[in-house]
């Protein structure tokens, strides 16, 4: 059992016996059931720092998206000296630490793939050190090169045709959330001691592959922990011991996260769930008379400012897929405990309040773990923040808690993971809509005319019926699921080998649970296309030369997903269940547990571009609906009918998440601010009791979007943030194509 | 009663301005009025997309949205003119009342026939299962009303008085069209009339908007208010002052919609 003077005043036993942050929280946190009236504005220091940071962000944007880049230093925990937002203001920073030595300067991170590291420099106008290029090309294999060496021709073809898309094979896979709270609660020395114990208990002496690999991984983790101490020392902190007060707790937790983003450039680098944990330190300091509300809010503001600064070097094609430079520094607040008490503390308010103190922002990806049983004051404040900033998303605690317990984090855009106990192998998306076209065309890609899938028999009828297409589609889906999972197996094998997340894994239990997250793209169009085949008359339009089906003439009405019409919604259920069952029968790497998702981020535009015309009436190359959203124009019965359709998809069939994005016109939400808040709370209560999984809420009108698209230079749009499928983004940072797509989908609330 | 078939134009499952809370609005087909600013002219004439439903079928559909109604929401029948399908509405409300649903109609009152005892019996039956009547007062002056809608308003004003005497909760609405329905004298008279009613819980100015315009074009109809602008904030406030909207705040009370 460990004892530290820094723990004075804390209750509980188990968390002193083993690394167990959840137990610590449950014994020491204080639920807050009041309203937002205690919140305070930014301090002078916050204003100054935020002002300085905004100037840098403006400059970054003016320079085309990159402010500065490292070209000579390979990023590691110890590679850079201390860095601050501004040298003159550094005394004001209550939470310190940058990825490199300068603010918004992007690190050189070659381990995910040297080519991408080089290209991202060159595309931004920088030339990486030739010696580094040589080392990582000739002497040291990187993740991406290893993956491509092992790919089969079929995998390459599927990747190229975009039937499998967004694979993490050129950069870090992300979605692994270290339990950064452990740094504050235990200090690094305890964590090293515990990992050493694990090392000595690793296997029985027989050197199987698994035991050898684990011994190596634990060693890497211990080395990372040692380096974290060195990293903190550069800023003048000794994190070998537990944090003694609130300021140290914020700082220690941030150092844990900083270690992750210095060493990994994953697509999603979530912060996790830290508000309730940190509130315990705030409350203790306040009781001791060491901290005021202003100072507490300042700590939160300064920490969040750091989360707003996370940057990675990316190539242009990546930016087209995920517009607006997102890093998914996802930070979850709210939720309830297994004992029924809400986990909401004053700190949960404070984190949301950063969106008022420093204005709207896409990062951190603020996520509210929602339940209608959360205190009224908190739900109202969440709704207020949605209405005024459109920067937060909601996820249903009531459906996630039974699966992940009460200390889960959101590890990506919407996917849950048990904090410190579980990791997720991220797996991009399979384009089920393209698979439908492959089924019709015998595995030949409708765009490239290449034989991508096996040459199954094509459908030659002039009029297509579901009876005829269904067996072909099932065969094609089965092929796709197998290829997809195998491709991911290969990628994750190489990632573990060449780009292992030592710093994050050091803050996760050695005996870790692994999930394997697949994903679906083109969902609603698939459902509507199947419905068209079933209920309308669909004629195949063929290319005169090669007989390939390149278009469809659909006559007659057919039910569409998004109208609470069981005929369409049952197709949606069938499709999801069919696909996840096909995924589940595959072997998955390291015995991970397979799941799937219906979320596409902004990539719905790029995926759509690569997909031909479909029987639901979607045109060749037109954007797909994002995530689990109904097709554009399909919703004929208003928002709630649409939400009811989404809610019919059982979360347990798509444990990686079903993302829904909706925009509501403020005028139609109610006449006064109070009415709008009350109505939005009621909407959220109803939706999550349905019980659905996820909702992005935007509150603004079409006119504002159009004006922002035409006049991005206006001051009021500099930080104008909107929720898109899976994350928040500054609207002016989207490509014009994506802006038009967002505008076309806006919005609910006709008069 | 079970052979009743409703003719429904469309649904809006997320209606927030047609009564208290979140409501499902059922837009019924058919209206005798021909308001120049109508934003649902597509409900005037039968079309091939008309939905036919029995009260039981409709009830079954509506209760799927009750998760969202909890505190104060419910169902609003709008149109079109719900009083043209009065018996269908009554029967549907009767079924919804068994589920404890808050019921409202959004009406222009034109079919109100105080001299027809049979009609009044059927209307009373509807009122027995209706919690709130949202009544559109389009013009106060009878002739102006005739010019705007094609009908006079004496029976509509009589309906307001009848509801008041019956103790039925009402929201009064007035669509404000610059140069058409914003005459100061007419608004003042309307305001005086409203003040004589006992059960008005809310008075709302609905600023004229042109969102319905495209429907007129689609229907091949000439839009009578072509070129008329939407009212300014100032004009809206002025009309609100005249109609004394701030005096009607009962709907804000937590128990106003039990």
């Amino acid at each position: 059992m460990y004892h530290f003077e820094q723990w004075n005043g804390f209750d509980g036993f188990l968390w002193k016996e083993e690394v167990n942050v959840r137990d610590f929280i449950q014994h020491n946190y204080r639920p807050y059931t009041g309203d937002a009236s205690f919140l305070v504005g930014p301090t002078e220091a916050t204003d100054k720092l935020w002002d300085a940071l905004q100037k840098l962000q403006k400059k970054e944007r003016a320079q085309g998206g990159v402010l500065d880049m490292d070209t000579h230093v390979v990023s590691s925990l110890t590679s850079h000296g201390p860095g601050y937002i501004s040298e003159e203001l550094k005394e004001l920073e209550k939470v310190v630490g940058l990825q490199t030595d300068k603010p918004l300067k992007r690190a050189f991170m070659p381990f995910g793939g040297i080519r991408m590291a080089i290209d991202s420099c060159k595309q931004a106008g920088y030339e990486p050190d030739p010696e580094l290029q040589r080392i990582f090309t000739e002497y040291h294999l990187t993740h991406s090169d290893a993956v491509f060496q092992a790919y089969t021709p079929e995998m390459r073809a599927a990747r190229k045709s975009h039937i499998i898309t967004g694979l993490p094979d050129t950069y870090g896979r992300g979605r692994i959330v270290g339990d950064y709270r452990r740094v504050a609660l235990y200090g690094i020395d305890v964590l090293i001691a515990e990992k050493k114990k694990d090392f000595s208990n690793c296997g029985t002496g027989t050197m199987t592959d698994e035991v050898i690999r684990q011994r190596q991984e634990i060693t890497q983790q211990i080395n990372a922990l040692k380096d974290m101490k060195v990293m903190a020392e550069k800023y003048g902190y000794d994190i070998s011991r537990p944090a003694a007060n609130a300021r140290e707790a914020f700082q220690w937790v941030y150092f844990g996260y900083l270690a992750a983003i210095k060493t990994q450039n994953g697509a999603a680098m979530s912060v996790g769930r830290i508000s309730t944990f940190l509130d315990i330190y705030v409350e203790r300091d306040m009781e001791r008379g060491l901290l005021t509300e202003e100072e507490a809010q300042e700590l939160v503001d300064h920490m969040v400012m750091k989360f707003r600064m996370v940057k990675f070097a990316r190539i242009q094609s990546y930016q087209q897929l995920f517009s607006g430079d997102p890093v998914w520094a996802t930070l979850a607040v709210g939720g309830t405990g297994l004992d029924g008490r809400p986990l909401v503390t004053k700190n949960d308010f404070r984190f949301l309040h950063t969106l008022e103190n420093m204005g709207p922002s896409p990062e951190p990806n603020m996520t509210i773990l929602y339940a209608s049983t959360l205190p009224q004051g908190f739900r109202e404040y969440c709704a207020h923040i949605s209405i005024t900033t459109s920067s937060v998303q909601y996820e249903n605690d009531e459906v996630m808690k039974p699966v992940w317990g009460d200390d889960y984090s959101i590890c990506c855009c919407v996917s849950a993971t048990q904090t410190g106990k579980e990791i997720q192998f991220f797996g991009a998306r399979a384009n089920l809509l393209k698979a439908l076209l492959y089924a019709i065309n015998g595995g030949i890609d409708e765009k490239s005319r290449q034989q991508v899938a096996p040459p199954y028999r094509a459908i030659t009828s002039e009029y297509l019926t579901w009876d005829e297409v269904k067996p072909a589609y099932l065969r094609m889906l089965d092929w796709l699921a197998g290829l997809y999972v195998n491709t991911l197996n290969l990628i994750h094998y190489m990632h573990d080998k060449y780009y292992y997340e030592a710093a994050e894994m050091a803050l996760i239990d050695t005996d870790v649970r692994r999930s394997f997250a697949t994903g679906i793209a083109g969902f609603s169009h698939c459902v509507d296309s199947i419905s068209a085949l079933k209920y309308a008359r669909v004629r195949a339009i063929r290319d005169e030369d090669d007989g390939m089906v390149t278009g469809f003439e659909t006559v007659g009405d057919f039910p569409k997903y998004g109208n609470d019409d069981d005929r369409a919604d049952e197709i949606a259920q069938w499709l999801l269940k069919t696909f996840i069952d096909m995924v589940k029968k595959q072997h998955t790497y390291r015995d991970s547990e397979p799941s799937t998702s219906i979320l596409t981020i902004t990539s719905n535009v790029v995926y759509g571009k690569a997909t031909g015309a479909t029987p639901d009436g979607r045109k060749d190359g037109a954007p797909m609906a994002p995530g689990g959203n109904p097709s554009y124009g399909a919703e004929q019965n208003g928002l709630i009918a649409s939400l009811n359709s989404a809610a019919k998809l059982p979360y347990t069939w798509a444990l990686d998440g079903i993302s829904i994005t909706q925009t509501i016109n403020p005028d139609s939400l109610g006449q006064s601010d109070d009415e709008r808040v009350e109505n939005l709370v009621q909407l959220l209560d109803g939706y999550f009791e349905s019980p659905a999984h996820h909702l992005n809420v935007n509150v603004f009108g079409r006119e504002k979007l159009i004006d922002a698209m035409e006049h991005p230079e206006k001051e009021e749009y500099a930080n104008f943030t909107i929720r898109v499928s899976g994350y928040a983004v500054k609207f002016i940072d989207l490509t014009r194509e994506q802006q038009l797509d967002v505008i076309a989908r806006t919005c609910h609330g006709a008069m | 009663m079970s052979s009743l078939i409703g003719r429904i134009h469309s649904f809006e499952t997320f209606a927030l301005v047609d009564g208290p809370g979140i409501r499902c609005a059922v837009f019924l087909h058919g209206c005798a009025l021909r308001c120049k600013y109508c934003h649902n002219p597509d409900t005037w004439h039968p079309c091939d997309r008309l939905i036919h439903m029995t009260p039981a079928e409709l009830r079954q559909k509506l209760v799927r949205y009750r998760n969202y109604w909890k505190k104060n929401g419910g169902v609003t029948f709008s149109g079109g003119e719900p009083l043209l399908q009065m018996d269908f509405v009554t029967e549907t409300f009767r079924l919804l009342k068994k589920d404890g649903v808050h019921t409202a109609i959004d009406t222009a009152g034109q079919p109100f026939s105080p001299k027809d005892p049979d009609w009044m019996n059927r209307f009373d039956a509807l009122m027995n299962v209706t919690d709130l009547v949202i009544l559109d007062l389009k013009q106060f002056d009878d002739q102006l009303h005739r010019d705007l809608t094609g009908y006079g308003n004496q029976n509509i004003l009589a309906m307001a008085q009848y509801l008041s005497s019956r103790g039925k909760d009402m929201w009064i609405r007035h669509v404000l069209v610059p140069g058409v329905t914003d005459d100061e004298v007419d608004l003042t008279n309307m305001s005086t009339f409203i003040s004589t009613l006992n059960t008005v819980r809310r008075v709302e100015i609905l600023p004229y908007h042109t969102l319905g315009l495209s429907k007129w074009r689609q229907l091949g109809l000439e839009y009578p208010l072509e070129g008329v602008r939407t009212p300014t904030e100032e004009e809206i406030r002025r009309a609100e002052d005249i109609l004394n909207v701030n005096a009607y705040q009962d709907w804000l009370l937590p128990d106003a919609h039990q």
Side-chain angles (χ1 to χ4, degrees), chain A residues 372 376 557 563-566 636-644 648 664 667-671 675 678-679 682-690 748-751, chain B residues 10-23 27 39-40 49 51 61 64-65 67-73 171 202 204-207 209 211 251-252:
Chain A
S372 57
Q376 178 85 8
D557 232 0
N563 292 289
D564 193 23
D565 185 327
D566 285 340
Q636 292 296 322
N637 293 279
L639 175 64
I640 293 178
S642 176
L643 295 179
N644 268 9
K648 285 179 206 170
I664 303 170
D667 293 335
S668 65
L669 190 56
Q671 294 185 340
E675 230 181 320
E678 188 183 352
N679 285 334
Q682 204 151 321
L683 179 77
L684 292 167
D685 285 357
Y687 179 62
F688 288 122
E689 282 175 16
S690 294
H748 273 289
M751 306 287 277
Chain B
S10 59
F11 296 92
E12 171 53 62
T13 54
F14 188 55
L16 293 166
V17 289
D18 297 311
I22 295 179
R23 313 189 70 82
F27 296 98
H39 63 269
N40 290 326
R49 299 185 66 104
I51 306 160
K61 180 178 172 69
R64 293 167 83 126
Y65 308 110
N67 259 0
Y68 293 86
W69 301 338
K70 247 163 282 155
K71 235 169 100 186
N72 53 0
W171 286 13
R202 185 178 198 177
E204 283 180 290
I205 292 290
L206 304 184
H209 62 75
L211 298 176
W251 62 279
L252 285 171

Side-chain angles (χ1 to χ4, degrees), chain A residues 282-495:
Chain A
V282 170
E283 288 285 314
R284 189 179 66 169
D285 279 9
M286 283 182 166
E287 247 170 38
R288 291 173 174 176
L290 300 172
L291 196 74
T292 64
E293 182 56 38
E294 283 73 17
E295 288 164 332
Q297 184 65 49
E298 187 175 58
L299 286 174
V300 176
D301 287 343
H302 289 203
M303 182 183 227
V304 165
M305 219 180 303
K306 288 292 178 315
F307 297 144
R308 291 183 177 192
M309 296 176 70
V310 183
K311 297 285 170 190
F312 297 110
R314 302 291 191 201
I315 53 175
Q316 274 156 15
S317 60
Y318 181 96
Q319 298 286 19
Q320 274 161 12
L321 210 54
F322 308 126
S323 237
D325 221 1
V327 295
W328 286 280
T330 306
L331 192 156
V333 299
T336 58
L338 291 172
D339 59 3
R341 288 185 300 163
L343 280 157
V344 173
T345 61
K346 282 189 172 177
N347 241 11
D348 295 74
F349 282 80
R350 291 186 194 109
F351 273 93
L352 291 175
H353 190 45
T354 59
L355 291 164
E356 299 187 289
N357 277 356
M358 300 183 289
S361 169
E363 302 282 358
N365 178 25
M366 210 74 90
T367 304
I368 293 154
L369 307 175
Y370 197 89
S372 57
T373 54
L374 290 180
Q376 178 85 8
F378 183 67
R379 283 178 295 143
E380 284 175 358
Y381 188 59
C382 294
H384 161 75
I385 288 292
S386 268
I387 291 166
T388 51
T389 72
S390 294
S391 299
V392 299
Q393 66 173 344
Y394 298 85
E395 295 196 45
N396 193 352
D397 187 58
E398 302 281 6
V399 299
M400 292 188 287
K401 198 171 66 173
V403 182
W404 315 103
D406 61 6
D407 192 38
Y408 59 88
S409 290
I410 302 304
C411 65
C412 173
C413 31
V414 306
S415 317
T417 188
Q418 287 173 289
T419 314
K421 307 205 161 295
E422 182 185 17
I423 63 156
Q424 189 187 71
F425 292 137
F426 160 56
R429 272 133 221 123
N431 185 341
L432 299 198
L433 191 58
K434 205 183 230 317
L436 182 64
L437 299 178
Y438 278 21
I440 293 166
N441 282 322
I444 298 174
D445 189 82
E446 74 283 359
K447 294 285 221 188
S448 68
R449 298 296 205 267
Q450 301 290 309
Q451 184 79 50
V452 175
Y456 296 139
R457 190 155 23 108
I459 291 171
T460 52
S461 320
E462 186 182 0
Y463 284 93
L464 306 178
T465 63
W466 180 232
D467 282 346
E468 192 183 8
V469 174
K470 186 179 175 183
Y473 190 41
L474 286 174
R475 241 189 336 264
M476 200 53 77
L477 281 183
D478 209 31
W479 161 78
L480 180 58
L483 179 69
Y484 178 30
V485 171
N486 266 315
T487 306
L488 289 175
N489 285 341
L490 188 160
I491 290 171
H492 289 291
Y493 175 93
M494 293 302 183
H495 202 294

Side-chain angles (χ1 to χ4, degrees), chain B residues 233-252:
Chain B
E233 286 293 323
E234 199 182 323
E235 287 168 330
I236 295 166
R237 265 198 306 278
R238 176 182 144 271
E240 285 177 343
D241 283 348
I242 299 176
L243 287 190
N244 215 6
V245 299
N246 288 331
Y248 304 93
Q249 298 284 337
D250 283 7
W251 62 279
L252 285 171

Side-chain angles (χ1 to χ4, degrees), chain B:
Chain B
M1 296 290 265
S2 58
S3 64
L4 280 171
I5 303 282
R7 290 171 302 129
I8 297 161
H9 174 267
S10 59
F11 296 92
E12 171 53 62
T13 54
F14 188 55
L16 293 166
V17 289
D18 297 311
I22 295 179
R23 313 189 70 82
C24 184
V26 181
F27 296 98
L28 293 176
H29 173 74
C31 185
L33 298 181
R34 288 296 177 263
C35 304
K36 289 179 178 167
Y37 54 65
C38 182
H39 63 269
N40 290 326
D42 46 342
T43 63
W44 290 351
H45 301 287
C47 66
D48 50 353
R49 299 185 66 104
L50 217 55
I51 306 160
H52 291 94
M53 271 184 158
T54 65
E57 285 166 347
L58 181 54
R59 177 225 155 240
Q60 207 172 4
K61 180 178 172 69
L62 291 173
V63 292
R64 293 167 83 126
Y65 308 110
R66 65 181 307 174
N67 259 0
Y68 293 86
W69 301 338
K70 247 163 282 155
K71 235 169 100 186
N72 53 0
V75 170
T76 299
F77 276 56
S78 183
E81 172 53 64
L83 293 184
L84 290 181
Q85 299 188 48
M86 196 157 62
D87 299 338
F88 171 71
V89 179
T90 304
E91 181 58 14
T92 311
F93 277 6
R94 204 180 58 76
L95 296 174
L96 288 171
K97 274 288 150 209
K98 287 186 187 166
D99 298 311
V101 176
H102 182 273
T103 55
I105 57 167
D106 177 7
T107 173
Q110 183 276 333
F112 189 71
S113 310
K115 290 176 187 145
D116 178 345
D118 174 56
W119 197 93
M120 288 305 287
N121 277 339
R122 289 160 54 216
F123 181 71
D124 284 343
L126 172 61
M127 286 303 104
N128 285 338
V129 286
T130 303
D131 296 308
L132 174 70
V133 175
I134 301 166
L135 180 63
D136 295 351
L137 293 185
K138 293 165 191 295
Q139 293 278 32
F140 190 72
D141 180 80
D142 189 60
Q143 188 54 46
L144 287 177
H145 197 277
R146 213 172 281 278
D147 294 345
L148 180 69
T149 71
Y151 287 84
N153 67 357
Q154 290 313 301
N155 61 328
I156 296 168
L157 300 180
M159 175 164 149
Q161 285 165 332
Y162 181 76
L163 292 174
S164 168
S165 68
R166 262 196 68 134
K168 184 58 65 186
D169 282 355
M170 265 184 282
W171 286 13
I172 302 286
R173 283 176 162 181
H174 176 73
V175 178
L176 191 72
V177 189
V180 182
T181 69
D182 62 349
D183 179 71
E184 187 163 347
V185 177
D186 200 59
L187 287 177
T188 307
N189 290 339
M190 189 183 286
S191 182
T192 310
F193 173 75
I194 294 170
S195 69
T196 66
L197 305 170
N198 300 319
T199 56
V200 175
R201 303 291 169 224
R202 185 178 198 177
V203 176
E204 283 180 290
I205 292 290
L206 304 184
Y208 166 70
H209 62 75
T210 52
L211 298 176
L213 216 148
S214 58
K215 293 186 186 170
W216 288 72
R217 293 205 180 115
Q218 274 165 23
L219 293 163
L221 298 171
E222 196 186 319
Y223 191 56
L225 297 187
E226 197 67 62
V228 173
R229 61 176 176 83
T230 56
T232 63
E233 286 293 323
E234 199 182 323
E235 287 168 330
I236 295 166
R237 265 198 306 278
R238 176 182 144 271
E240 285 177 343
D241 283 348
I242 299 176
L243 287 190
N244 215 6
V245 299
N246 288 331
Y248 304 93
Q249 298 284 337
D250 283 7
W251 62 279
L252 285 171
L253 298 176
D255 58 348
H257 311 291
Q258 295 300 305

